[in-house]
């Protein structure tokens, strides 16, 4: 008897390679997955201008950065945006200014698609073999009310579907939202606030992502990197001892050898 439902993940048309240089932009969920790649010594860039929750702000980050990744990972958190009353422009951060200075607005499905299409086109101009992984953050927004949060997520899910239809060879949808809501349908997979996924949940999503997106060579790289990562994380009783300094020197040498072997 099976006591949980497993989310089916469509096989992508590409693989993430060992030490792939990637760009992560989006909500705090993108931050957590991006940091997980950094732990495995991938040379990734994560939210270079801070966390961005909506498609318009994600576009602003991509336009400001000069990164030209082969793989971009975009996580959508909400379709709510804030416009400055004086100019009408969408701001990425209200910077704790008085609420009266802003107008809150919900982007339509088509508006979300328009902003995201510009993201794809901008990155594609920098690198023509671009691949984009889209996710919708599983983190609910209590300030909108849980029904309002679901409406926002539904808008984003429909927008990602349309974008994937427009760019079928480029855009791939990874169901992080569905994995948390269906496979991990238990509050033990959440932090104390009962809203943000726990470290265990993020690790499980990482494993599902690796299972479907990583090339065979990437899995081999991770197996070789694991003991080096654990050695570098070791905290000795006496860090100034000659033995420990020699241990670190040899470990760093091994890390450089692995980096060189797997860097494209």
């Amino acid at each position: 008897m099976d006591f949980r439902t497993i989310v089916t993940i469509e096989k992508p048309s590409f693989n993430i390679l060992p030490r792939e240089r990637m760009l992560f932009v989006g909500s705090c969920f993108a931050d957590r997955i991006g940091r997980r790649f950094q732990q495995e010594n991938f040379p990734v860039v994560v939210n270079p201008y801070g966390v961005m929750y909506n498609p318009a702000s994600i576009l602003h980050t991509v336009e400001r950065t000069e990164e030209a990744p082969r793989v971009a990972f975009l996580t959508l958190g909400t379709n709510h945006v804030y416009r400055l009353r004086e100019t009408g422009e969408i701001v990425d951060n209200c910077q704790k200014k008085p609420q009266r200075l802003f107008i809150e607005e919900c982007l339509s499905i088509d508006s979300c698609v328009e902003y995201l299409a510009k993201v794809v086109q901008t990155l594609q101009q920098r690198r023509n073999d671009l691949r984009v992984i889209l996710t919708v953050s599983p983190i609910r927004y209590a300030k909108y009310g849980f029904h309002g949060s679901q409406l926002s997520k539904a808008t984003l899910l429909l927008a990602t579907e349309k974008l994937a239809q427009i760019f079928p060879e480029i855009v791939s949808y990874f169901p992080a939202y569905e994995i948390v809501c269906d496979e991990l349908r238990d509050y033990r997979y959440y932090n104390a606030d009962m809203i943000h996924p726990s470290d265990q949940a993020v690790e499980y999503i990482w494993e599902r992502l690796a299972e479907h997106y990583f090339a065979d060579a990437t899995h081999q790289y991770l197996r070789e990197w694991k003991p080096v990562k654990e050695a570098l994380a070791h905290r000795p009783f006496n860090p100034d001892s000659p033995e420990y300094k020699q241990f670190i020197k040899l470990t760093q040498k091994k890390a450089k050898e692995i980096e060189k072997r797997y860097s494209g």
Side-chain angles (χ1 to χ4, degrees):
M1 186 176 290
D2 196 343
F3 289 98
R4 64 186 181 127
T5 54
I6 302 296
V7 174
T8 300
I9 301 175
E10 292 186 14
K11 183 172 178 59
S13 61
F14 68 98
N15 292 129
I16 294 174
L17 304 176
R19 288 185 47 77
E20 181 94 66
R21 186 168 185 83
M22 303 171 66
L23 174 64
F24 286 78
V25 183
S27 72
C28 50
F29 185 73
D31 249 23
R32 296 190 70 180
I33 295 296
R35 305 299 174 199
R36 188 64 180 78
F37 273 88
Q38 288 178 335
Q39 291 173 18
E40 302 299 342
N41 206 29
F42 281 71
V44 301
V45 175
V46 182
N47 279 332
Y49 298 104
V51 172
M52 300 293 162
Y53 294 98
N54 64 77
S57 295
I58 288 174
L59 173 61
H60 295 162
T61 288
V62 169
E63 289 176 333
R64 291 172 67 188
T65 184
E66 296 181 356
E67 291 294 319
R70 187 183 76 93
V71 178
F73 194 106
L74 311 177
T75 297
L76 310 176
T78 179
N79 69 328
H80 288 242
V81 298
Y82 292 87
R83 292 186 184 272
L84 196 59
R85 286 183 183 273
E86 187 176 359
T87 64
E89 81 173 297
I90 294 175
V91 298
D92 302 327
N93 190 320
C94 294
Q95 299 178 336
K96 298 184 179 180
K97 292 181 179 179
Q99 190 172 352
R100 67 177 183 276
L101 299 178
F102 304 95
I103 302 171
E104 186 175 1
E105 177 185 317
C106 290
L107 297 177
S108 67
I109 296 169
D110 288 341
S111 292
C112 290
V113 173
E114 183 178 349
Y115 283 117
L116 293 170
K118 288 180 181 177
V119 171
V120 174
Q121 291 160 355
T122 299
L123 290 172
Q124 196 176 27
Q125 288 172 1
R126 300 174 190 173
R127 184 155 180 168
N128 58 18
D129 61 346
L130 170 73
R131 296 294 181 269
V132 175
I133 301 174
L134 272 182
T135 64
V136 172
S137 170
I139 299 170
R140 295 168 297 161
Y141 290 89
K143 68 178 181 179
Y144 303 145
F146 290 124
H147 178 64
S149 178
Q150 288 294 85
L151 291 175
S152 176
K153 300 295 185 184
T155 299
L156 297 174
L157 289 165
L158 289 167
T160 59
E161 181 69 15
K162 289 190 72 172
L163 191 75
Q165 291 171 358
I166 295 170
F167 301 100
E169 302 301 319
I170 298 173
V171 173
S172 170
Y173 176 72
F174 177 73
Y177 178 84
E178 291 81 357
I179 289 171
V180 171
C181 292
D182 289 307
E183 287 193 41
L184 307 182
R185 193 167 42 193
D186 192 305
Y187 277 111
R188 64 189 166 130
Y189 296 113
Y190 289 82
N191 286 338
D193 63 4
M194 297 298 149
I195 291 177
H196 289 79
S198 66
D199 291 343
Q200 186 181 26
V202 173
E203 183 64 21
Y204 180 74
I205 292 168
W206 160 266
E207 290 175 0
R208 296 297 311 273
L209 181 71
E211 178 186 358
H212 288 83
Y213 279 81
F214 286 7
D216 290 342
T218 307
H219 289 289
Q220 178 60 32
Y221 161 74
L222 291 174
R223 285 191 289 270
E224 293 184 33
W225 173 250
K226 183 179 179 181
V228 175
K229 179 180 69 173
E230 292 172 348
L232 291 172
H234 177 67
R235 293 292 177 264
F237 288 112
N238 184 6
D240 296 321
S241 68
E243 292 82 6
Y244 180 70
K245 289 180 179 179
Q246 180 64 15
F247 169 77
I248 284 295
K249 184 178 179 179
L250 292 174
T251 302
Q252 290 174 339
K253 180 182 178 182
K254 186 177 293 185
K256 291 295 182 183
E257 290 172 351
I258 293 174
E259 287 177 10
K260 184 177 179 180
R261 187 160 64 252
Y262 283 99
S263 295

